[in-house]
Amino acid sequence: MERRRLLNAGAGFSLAAVAGQTITPGAAHAATTPAATTTPTDSATTTAGHRCDGTPVSTFGVASLTAAIVGTTVLGNHAYVVARGQNPTLVGEIDLTTRKLARTFRLDRGDGGWAATVSGGQVYIGTYPFPDIHRIDPATGTVTRIGTIGPAGGFVWCLTTAPDGTVYAGTSPRGEVWEYKPQTGTLRNLGNAMAGEQYVRAITADDRYVYAGTLPRGYIVAYDRTTGVKRSITPTPHGGASALLAHGGRVLGSFGKSIVDLAPDGSDAHVIPIPAPERIADAMAVTPDGTLYCVGRPTGTVYRRDGDKLVAVAAPATGDEHRALVPLPGGKMLGAVGSGRLWWLDLPTRKSELVELIDIGLSGPDPVQSIAYENGGTVHVGGHYSLTTHRPSHGTSKRIRIPGEPKTLRAIGGKVYAAMYPSTEFLEIDPRRGKVRSMGFIENDQQRPTDMAYVPEQDLLLVASAPPAGGLKGALTLVERSRGRLTVHKDVITDQSVMSVALDDRVGHRTAYLAGDTWGGGSIPPTRPNATVVAYDLRRRTVLWEVTPVAGNASLQHIEVHNGILYGVYKRQSGNWFAMDIESRTVLRTGKLPSYGEISVHFGQVYASVFGGSVYRLGPLETLEGEAELVLGGLGDGWYNPPQLAWERATWHAWGVATRALARLRLDPLCPSGTPSEITAQYEAILKGLLAN
């Protein structure tokens, strides 16, 4: 009875506030929007006469549309580009003369493929999260899976073709090199490139050797193609590999902030620093006259090698990542851009042309990166290289290009603030004007923003972040919104990423709580056995205390605070959760969810939205009878990052994702809406409809 009374106190307020305010798509929008999904519990009456008004899930079209690409290669007069995040893997064939989408191919599984090459008139694609090698025969249109070269969850990061047509692949997480001989159809594992290196991120081959570029430290390892014997030819590691070429009896590699040019035995090494604005060179190519070109990130500038210097040529696609750089006949260069663009550059005149793949039909529903709700009914969705602003009641949406992946969003005062991966740039976006303003970069050996909180009294944004592969030290960044100033506090949780930041509203937002991850950016052994939580004084900018909530868990994914209790969910071990009294630092409750995700607090209730498409209630503890309670299930896996909820202020509704459709979710704890098995099939049907369109 006590539990029912506490829950009804919030329910009565919200139901009164939303009476008669159901959101309905406009007529033009509804024509292309999947119908709202209804479960058998609609309009049901629960205990104590509580009315469960409205549908548990209403969908409003594709949450984020994308033409983002990964692997790219050229065969004859066609480019073959692999779409990112489309399942099963989608490959587009682009006619380089007409600049139109000629046809598409679907592989039998996977979400994309970073690796692509050509051999013997065939196109080879290396995929993820199943590390497969596929072959496309353009003459017949047939697609064949040749084999799988690693464990599920692995990647084929790179492919190359030797002069005799042999295909070589580099993988993670085992950091191996594989060989495929089209003449015989045989696959051979040449083994791990370098102990402790989990990624072979770049690969190239000549008549005698295949060369592997590793990550995170960045070695060049030469394998004898006949014997398989390998050795490192790296004089000094310069950072993780991003591109590798064998040309004219030399090996050329992009490693960290340097281009390395050396002989096949590792001698006569020349190191060319990339220009100061750039962090890495994404792609490289050598023209028929022997000139090396590369393209830098984040500016997107194409550079030409002149001795031991790089000279800027042009910037056909600014502020973007590049997947390939390909010389074309007639002194032209083709570039493939991660956000979904192809450009043509005339090298003598430096004039360029650009085609948006989304405009020629190579697009699909994007796995969602982040979401934010703005009072008045506007929903902002972060996708790969885009922010989409939806006004569901008007049936409208607007897509704004942004440079990278917005890992976390906040909507404040008509502006949207985004923390970007992999650049660590912090953006202020004005959705109404379509304006994007950079407020600076976190940098400081950080790469992946993970969470954001807002302190209204100080007009201060708090951004948690993780280092790249090979690093352990995360950071908390304080962003003074009005002044546009970023202050970075690195290693605030010793040798851990900062995965989440939560505020304690009982003390006027003076204290922030930070959640750690001992794995850091990965690819390096942790130095600490357990993920910890620290209390951080926002005025003194110091750590007050640190505690291990539950031993045996290496990675905390997310935390929130409610009424003096800190709730957390772990990534490792996945789905473990706890509730800890802050004052005594005593764990009051532990439990197990089917996966991990993000925690939020609304109307005094504590929710966890987790991978697998479910939302659970974790508290308050006095109303929880045993384990976490399922509130809504069957939403599918439409998230790229851990699932988030964007709450409406005065209702039991939050905005999220059902498969890859924007969805308004009824999360009234007295109106649980089915189980995953009951409604998953309905969302699979929605996804098929989205893909068909």
Side-chain angles (χ1 to χ4, degrees):
M1 181 62 70
E2 179 65 14
R3 171 178 176 270
R4 184 180 305 161
R5 182 184 66 78
L6 288 168
L7 290 176
N8 272 314
F13 168 74
S14 69
L15 292 174
V18 297
Q21 296 183 19
T22 303
I23 293 180
T24 305
H29 187 64
T32 58
T33 301
T37 302
T38 302
T39 72
T41 60
D42 287 354
S43 301
T45 301
T46 66
T47 57
H50 182 80
R51 187 78 176 174
C52 298
D53 289 344
T55 60
V57 181
S58 299
T59 57
F60 297 87
V62 177
S64 176
L65 192 66
T66 184
I69 60 173
V70 274
T72 302
T73 192
V74 171
L75 173 59
N77 198 40
H78 291 86
Y80 295 83
V81 298
V82 188
R84 183 173 188 171
Q86 304 305 306
N87 186 293
T89 300
L90 173 66
V91 181
E93 180 188 71
I94 314 296
D95 188 309
L96 296 179
T97 300
T98 65
R99 302 181 183 180
K100 302 293 185 182
L101 179 65
R103 56 180 167 170
T104 60
F105 304 89
R106 284 281 183 183
L107 310 186
D108 64 347
R109 63 181 186 177
D111 293 336
W114 284 90
T117 193
V118 169
S119 177
Q122 312 283 295
V123 178
Y124 292 85
I125 307 293
T127 62
Y128 66 90
F130 304 100
D132 301 326
I133 298 178
H134 293 260
R135 180 177 61 229
I136 298 174
D137 185 342
T140 65
T142 57
V143 179
T144 305
R145 192 200 319 167
I146 292 168
T148 301
I149 57 174
F155 283 62
V156 182
W157 283 109
C158 47
L159 289 172
T160 194
T161 303
D164 65 355
T166 302
V167 174
Y168 291 93
T171 72
S172 75
R174 299 192 302 213
E176 295 172 336
V177 171
W178 285 72
E179 175 189 82
Y180 174 69
K181 290 187 172 293
Q183 303 91 331
T184 62
T186 56
L187 270 171
R188 178 171 63 141
N189 185 358
L190 300 182
N192 172 258
M194 176 68 65
E197 298 286 271
Q198 295 182 335
Y199 298 79
V200 171
R201 192 62 183 85
I203 199 163
T204 191
D206 58 23
D207 288 324
R208 183 172 179 183
Y209 298 103
V210 55
Y211 305 90
T214 71
L215 189 150
R217 286 175 290 177
Y219 292 92
I220 304 175
V221 179
Y223 293 75
D224 187 295
R225 293 180 50 212
T226 302
T227 66
V229 174
K230 65 181 180 182
R231 69 185 183 95
S232 172
I233 61 170
T234 315
T236 303
H238 289 275
S242 56
L244 205 58
L245 289 174
H247 182 83
R250 304 287 292 181
V251 180
L252 305 164
S254 173
F255 290 83
K257 295 187 176 183
S258 302
I259 303 292
V260 180
D261 175 355
L262 67 167
D265 63 359
S267 63
D268 191 30
H270 298 257
V271 179
I272 307 165
I274 64 174
E278 313 294 359
R279 288 175 174 79
I280 62 171
D282 274 327
M284 302 192 305
V286 176
T287 53
D289 65 0
T291 303
L292 173 70
Y293 289 83
C294 66
V295 59
R297 188 200 300 181
T299 73
T301 301
V302 177
Y303 296 93
R304 181 188 71 248
R305 181 180 179 182
D306 185 359
D308 282 346
K309 294 182 179 180
L310 295 175
V311 178
V313 176
T318 58
D320 217 323
E321 302 173 18
H322 280 70
R323 306 301 183 222
L325 203 57
V326 183
L328 298 176
K332 295 187 181 299
M333 185 78 75
L334 175 72
V337 180
S339 64
R341 298 187 279 180
L342 296 181
W343 54 254
W344 287 257
L345 173 64
D346 184 86
L347 292 172
T349 66
R350 302 188 181 187
K351 293 182 179 180
S352 62
E353 299 175 78
L354 186 144
V355 168
E356 297 277 358
L357 298 182
I358 202 167
D359 292 337
I360 64 173
L362 189 72
S363 60
D366 203 359
V368 171
Q369 296 273 341
S370 48
I371 193 167
Y373 178 78
E374 188 176 352
N375 290 328
T378 301
V379 187
H380 306 283
V381 178
H384 287 92
Y385 308 97
S386 71
L387 179 79
T388 303
T389 295
H390 299 268
R391 298 187 69 192
S393 61
H394 292 73
T396 62
S397 62
K398 179 180 180 180
R399 186 175 184 269
I400 301 171
R401 176 182 295 278
I402 54 178
E405 301 172 19
K407 293 300 183 184
T408 181
L409 299 174
R410 291 291 301 223
I412 305 168
K415 304 289 179 63
V416 178
Y417 297 88
M420 306 299 295
Y421 168 89
S423 66
T424 74
E425 190 172 16
F426 194 82
L427 302 179
E428 180 185 73
I429 305 163
D430 185 336
R432 290 159 183 81
R433 298 182 179 181
K435 302 281 189 179
V436 179
R437 179 173 77 95
S438 176
M439 295 178 68
F441 293 82
I442 295 172
E443 297 183 321
N444 286 274
D445 297 317
Q446 302 299 291
Q447 186 179 59
R448 186 181 299 273
T450 53
D451 197 15
M452 192 189 311
Y454 179 56
V455 186
E457 299 93 335
Q458 302 179 48
D459 198 19
L460 186 69
L461 287 156
L462 311 178
V463 183
S465 63
L472 292 175
K473 302 179 187 302
L476 174 68
T477 299
L478 309 181
V479 182
E480 297 172 67
R481 192 170 72 98
S482 59
R483 300 177 65 183
R485 186 170 71 177
L486 280 64
T487 305
V488 181
H489 297 267
K490 185 179 176 182
D491 205 27
V492 66
I493 313 177
T494 303
D495 283 353
Q496 296 183 60
S497 297
V498 183
M499 295 301 294
S500 181
V501 53
L503 296 169
D504 188 346
D505 55 10
R506 299 173 307 156
V507 290
H509 295 144
R510 292 196 302 270
T511 304
Y513 299 93
L514 313 178
D517 181 355
T518 65
W519 283 44
S523 301
I524 184 173
T527 63
R528 305 188 64 182
N530 301 301
T532 62
V533 172
V534 304
Y536 186 83
D537 189 313
L538 290 172
R539 293 186 177 180
R540 298 179 180 178
R541 310 287 169 89
T542 58
V543 172
L544 301 173
W545 49 257
E546 182 175 9
V547 66
T548 298
V550 183
N553 293 274
S555 306
L556 252 172
Q557 181 61 47
H558 204 256
I559 58 173
E560 280 294 343
V561 173
H562 173 58
N563 198 26
I565 297 175
L566 185 146
Y567 295 81
V569 61
Y570 286 101
K571 179 179 180 179
R572 301 179 181 93
Q573 306 291 329
S574 179
N576 286 352
W577 70 273
F578 67 90
M580 181 183 74
D581 179 80
I582 289 176
E583 186 173 350
S584 66
R585 298 172 217 168
T586 301
V587 173
L588 307 174
R589 185 82 61 90
T590 61
K592 182 72 173 179
L593 297 169
S595 187
Y596 64 94
E598 291 205 358
I599 299 174
S600 59
V601 177
H602 188 67
F603 285 165
Q605 306 299 308
V606 183
Y607 294 84
S609 179
V610 301
F611 280 120
S614 297
V615 180
Y616 288 83
R617 193 176 72 88
L618 304 183
L621 296 180
E622 60 268 26
T623 69
L624 199 66
E625 297 174 356
E627 261 292 1
E629 298 174 352
L630 179 67
V631 180
L632 181 63
L635 298 173
D637 279 318
W639 284 92
Y640 187 87
N641 295 324
Q644 304 167 20
L645 296 173
W647 286 95
E648 296 178 0
R649 178 175 295 178
T651 78
W652 279 121
H653 288 82
W655 290 85
V657 178
T659 58
R660 298 186 185 183
L662 178 66
R664 188 173 186 249
L665 313 175
R666 188 190 68 199
L667 297 174
D668 185 336
L670 284 180
C671 302
S673 304
T675 65
S677 61
E678 288 173 338
I679 59 178
T680 295
Q682 299 178 54
Y683 290 104
E684 289 176 350
I686 290 175
L687 178 58
K688 289 179 181 178
L690 295 177
L691 293 174
N693 291 330

